[in-house]
Structures are given as C-alpha cells and as structure tokens.
Amino acid sequence: MRTDSVPRRGAVGRPAGPQPAKRQAILEAAVAVFLREGYTRASVDVIADEARVSKQTVYNHFGDKQRLFLAAVEGERERVAADFTPDLDAEPDLDAEPDLDAEPDLDAEPDLDPGSDSDRASDPDPDPGHGSGLEGGAGEAGDVRAALVAFGHRVLRVLLDERASALRRLVISEVARHPSLRPACADGEPRQLVSHLVALLTRRTERGELDVDDPATVARQFVALLVQQGLHQSMYGTRPLPGHEAAAICEKAADLFVRAYRR
C-alpha cells in the first residue's frame, strides 16, 4: 500500500523527502518517455509506470510535468559533465602520433606539435605563413594551446553525447509551442565547462602567459565557438563527428584565442 503524501510545490526537482533513488528513477524514465513521445504527448502516468512509482510520487518530487521536464534537462547536463574534471595544466605528449581516421578518444591528449603532419592533416587550408599560428611550438604559447585543445575535445564529448543531443533537439522543437520551457535553453552547456576554463585562463594570466582581463567572458566565448562549430558540423548531434573534424575545430579555436590573448 502506497503512503505518498499530498504534492508539495517547490523548486525544480526538489523532492518532498530524502528519496534520491526514486528521484533518479523518475528522471531516467522521464528522459526516455520525453524522447520517445515528445513533450506534449508524454504523460506523467506513463513516466510513473516506467519509473515503477505512483503518479503521486512523481508530483511529490517535481510538482508537475513542466518542472519534471526542466529537471530532466538539467539532470542530463549534470550527467554528461559529471566526469569533466580535467587537469587543464597537465603537459601533453607532444611526440604522440594520433590516428585521425579512427574514432576519437576525446579524453586523450592529441599531438599538438604545430609542425607535425597530423596537425596539418586536420586543417585542410592551413595558413602557410603561420603554420599553427604559434611561434616556437614548444614554448609557453604552445603549452597554452595544448591545454585549450585538450579542453576543446572534452567540450565536444559533452556536447555531442547521444542522449543529451537528442534532448537538446527536443527542447528546440518544443520551446516555441511551450514558452514555459525557455529555462531549459538558458544554459546550453554545463556550468562546469566554463568554470574549468575560467580557472585555466586565470592561472595562465597570473603566470604571464596570457593577457585576459575578463576570464569569465573569454571562457564563454571560447566554449560558444566550440559549441557552434560542433553543433553545425554534427548536424545537432545527428551525424557522428569524425576525429579529424573534431581535432580541426579544437585546434583552430585554440589558435584563434592564443593569437588574441597571448602576452
């Protein structure tokens, strides 16, 4: 016999009591049902059935379908960013030779030597007067570029996660008909991404390698560039992004920002 209490309205995703396992089961079921049925056709009854809880329990935790949807979107962002804890100051292996025809390991550090054949192969139209855009290659600017490229690969991994991409497309398709869902569009990327890059830019500026007076703005701009290119070339996550295309996106974005902000 169920003993669910009367629904209590509160913050998005805040349950009436400490029931994290039920809350997570509801969120998992909600993502599956929303992706299968769309926002309009999805019902709380079906979500409750798939989560193996009562409809009342869903209301106890989330209040209504809109709040459940917003919580599901936020939960997906947290899921894909959960392991985004890179050591952004780790030195890459500049002698490694990546296989750009293989499926990319976006956690691995690529070959970032500006003069390498692999770097030129990822850029179909390099600037012959500047190579990768960095002088000296292995100097301080090269180290900053390496960290930015590695960060870029991690952003693309988060951005193009299959389930998160599908939910992003659903948000875009539904928000015009349901303006109340606009909060789901407010933060397109997990906040962890920007905060890690802010820390990197701040440290490198303090060391005298970069000259960034507003790390938060610059970090958002760098992430936005990666996101725009990643979404465009992957057709909003409906097309797998080959390794050489991901590398080119990350390397060109890093070159642009190092040229703009190196001291």
Side-chain angles (χ1 to χ4, degrees), residues 5-21:
S5 60
V6 176
R8 186 181 71 175
R9 302 180 69 86
V12 171
R14 186 63 57 85
Q19 300 175 306

Side-chain angles (χ1 to χ4, degrees), residues 4 15-25 57 60-61:
D4 298 323
Q19 300 175 306
K22 282 189 177 182
R23 180 181 186 276
Q24 188 58 37
T57 297
N60 288 345
H61 281 257

Side-chain angles (χ1 to χ4, degrees), residues 10 14 39 47 56 60-61 82 105 112 122 138 150 165-166 191 213 215-216 219 226 232 256 261:
R14 186 63 57 85
Y39 177 78
I47 292 171
Q56 191 69 49
N60 288 345
H61 281 257
D105 178 0
L112 302 172
S122 68
S165 293
R191 288 182 292 273
D213 59 0
L226 294 165
H232 173 71
L256 175 64
Y261 295 105

Side-chain angles (χ1 to χ4, degrees), residues 120-233:
R120 289 192 297 270
S122 68
D123 184 350
D125 185 24
D127 181 349
H130 295 84
S132 71
L134 299 172
E135 297 177 4
E140 289 183 346
D143 294 340
V144 172
R145 179 183 184 270
L148 289 173
V149 171
F151 175 86
H153 277 282
R154 293 174 183 269
V155 170
L156 291 182
R157 185 193 66 196
V158 169
L159 177 70
L160 300 179
D161 174 87
E162 183 176 359
R163 194 169 76 172
S165 293
L167 197 57
R168 182 185 300 111
R169 295 191 297 271
L170 176 61
V171 170
I172 293 170
S173 68
E174 296 283 5
V175 72
R177 291 190 294 270
H178 303 281
S180 61
L181 301 182
R182 284 175 183 163
C185 303
D187 295 308
E189 302 76 47
R191 288 182 292 273
Q192 293 95 318
L193 303 184
V194 174
S195 64
H196 279 296
L197 187 54
V198 168
L200 166 66
L201 296 174
T202 300
R203 288 195 298 271
R204 296 305 179 118
T205 296
E206 291 171 349
R207 295 178 188 175
E209 301 172 34
L210 294 176
D211 184 11
V212 179
D213 59 0
D214 186 356
T217 297
V218 173
R220 288 193 295 270
Q221 290 171 339
F222 185 73
V223 172
L225 180 59
L226 294 165
V227 168
Q228 190 278 330
Q229 290 295 311
L231 290 179
H232 173 71
Q233 292 186 220

